[in-house]
Amino acid sequence: MEVRPKRILIADDEPDILEIVSYNLGKEGYETYTAKDGNEAIERAKQLNPDLIILDIMMPKKTGVEVCRILRTQPLFQDTLIVFLTALNDDASHIKGLETGADDYVSKPISPKVLVSRVNALFRRIHKEDGKTLKIGNISIDPVRFIVSIDEKEVMLAKKEFELLFLLGSKPGRVFLRNEILSQVWGTDVIVGDRTIDVHIRKVRQKLGVDCITTVKGVGYKFEI
Amino acid sequence: MEVRPKRILIADDEPDILEIVSYNLGKEGYETYTAKDGNEAIERAKQLNPDLIILDIMMPKKTGVEVCRILRTQPLFQDTLIVFLTALNDDASHIKGLETGADDYVSKPISPKVLVSRVNALFRRIHKEDGKTLKIGNISIDPVRFIVSIDEKEVMLAKKEFELLFLLGSKPGRVFLRNEILSQVWGTDVIVGDRTIDVHIRKVRQKLGVDCITTVKGVGYKFEI
DNA sequence: ATTTTGTGTAAACAGAATGTTACCATGGAA
DNA sequence: TTCCATGGTAACATTCTGTTTACACAAAAT
């Protein structure tokens, strides 16, 4: 399965930092976006639904810790990786950062190499599961062979259909919001109509012949047996 | 749901380090085990199957990096968390550690607090499943799966119904005024009639089949078992 | 006892959200 | 080229939710 490039949002009030971090991560193949204060970080996070967010601790409007706490209260950002960036090299803020729900912590002055390798390490840790066949009850979803099996019976899905099912199947039971689905399967830059998701959901349901996708009206869809 | 204490294996050739790390993690509720060189680390890892392994980079017999590489080749240790411990504070070894497949990296001199909080953060990342689920007695309210369970029996609520219950359930026993409910669930801009809340309360009561919402006349409602 | 105030309940309605179908554009394969 | 699979849109059908209305009932106030 083709992998969409990871989206990283970087929030810092120093343009130099934004640029150097953005440049180095971009070189690694990440899609980078920036924000220059806490409020903008939250706003852009909601709009972009990034895979990882790098937050400077000391920022105008809202500190990185505040932004982290606010984002973490929302289900949408439960899985988002968060890394703190700070000039304070002391233990206290270090611990505070991690306890707030950050996944890592890098102190300034930043070595681009270190930052990149830590980011890579975080993604590696999360995506150990990548490439593995998902098995939920009698349904298995194989991203390598691009095939879905139901009780040993194999079903072929089109790319988008497969990606959609794979996303939902990756966390059975969890509800995926419509924008989440849009940004994960279609990407943030593409603009598609309102009925597009529904139509694809329908196609998947039809091809599978099993009712394993539940609609949660006003919210989204979830995979459930 | 009760959780078995996490097992942590610590490998270092300095007895002092072993003791201080073991003591501090033990105090946090982890089950700790030690090894004094690379070979012993591998041996004990196989025997204990720990959830997390802390490896000193500089150890006799085999270095931490070697141990990590060897363990990572085995399926059993694919998901095991690995943290490196080192006196070398330079970037080179740092990067090397993470690229080898470690999940984190802490440099000596070790601050026990920092180590403990990083370990906590690693585990928190692994089980973020049950993060936001409210549990009150035999009722659990899961905003990620959008499901309410009563004694393992699952109930689906409509969006507003769910939000209403979630609000009340977020502070069991506390009375929520009608305007409070209005502003939290419906928002400040929306104007709805007086009976709307009642009707929703009724629907929730009906669907749950359990009497867990108490009316406080002239005031509001509260969640109570 | 009567009125007033607050809440419970059922039914009905409007409109939002989703399901469904048919159709079009595109691009690769035969 | 033609054919076909894919992905997207538009238009309509259907379902479900949220809200209101109307009234019953209960408790408190008069």
Side-chain angles (χ1 to χ4, degrees), chain A residues 72-73 75 78-81 91 94-95 98-99 101-105 111 113-114 117-118 120-121 124-126 128 132 171 173-175 214-219 222 224, chain B residues 72 78-81 91 94-95 98-105 111 113-114 116-118 120-122 124-126 128-129 131-132 143-147 154 156-157 159:
Chain A
R72 281 287 192 239
T73 62
Q78 293 278 67
D79 301 333
T80 310
L81 296 168
D91 288 351
H94 189 152
I95 293 163
L98 293 170
E99 298 301 343
D103 298 287
D104 204 350
Y105 188 94
S111 148
K113 278 193 180 177
V114 167
S117 77
R118 287 197 97 106
N120 285 336
R124 181 151 11 88
R125 192 159 85 221
I126 299 305
K128 260 178 209 153
K132 275 192 191 167
K171 310 233 177 222
R174 158 166 175 198
V175 178
T214 308
T215 305
V216 183
K217 272 210 166 192
V219 186
K222 63 178 167 176
E224 209 170 36
Chain B
R72 281 289 191 237
Q78 292 283 63
D79 299 334
T80 309
L81 295 168
D91 289 352
H94 189 151
I95 293 163
L98 293 171
E99 298 303 340
T100 311
D103 297 288
D104 204 353
Y105 186 91
S111 148
K113 280 193 178 179
V114 168
V116 166
S117 77
R118 287 198 96 108
N120 285 337
L122 282 174
R124 178 150 18 86
R125 170 122 303 278
I126 302 299
K128 53 186 174 303
E129 288 295 336
K132 291 206 61 180
V144 173
R145 307 199 314 140
F146 222 86
I147 273 183
E154 296 186 341
M156 279 269 267
L157 297 182
K159 193 181 171 200

Side-chain angles (χ1 to χ4, degrees), chain B residues 40-55:
Chain B
E40 195 179 327
I42 292 175
E43 193 185 317
R44 299 221 70 191
K46 287 181 180 167
Q47 162 194 123
L48 294 164
N49 190 67
D51 302 286
L52 184 146
I53 305 174
I54 298 176
L55 294 171

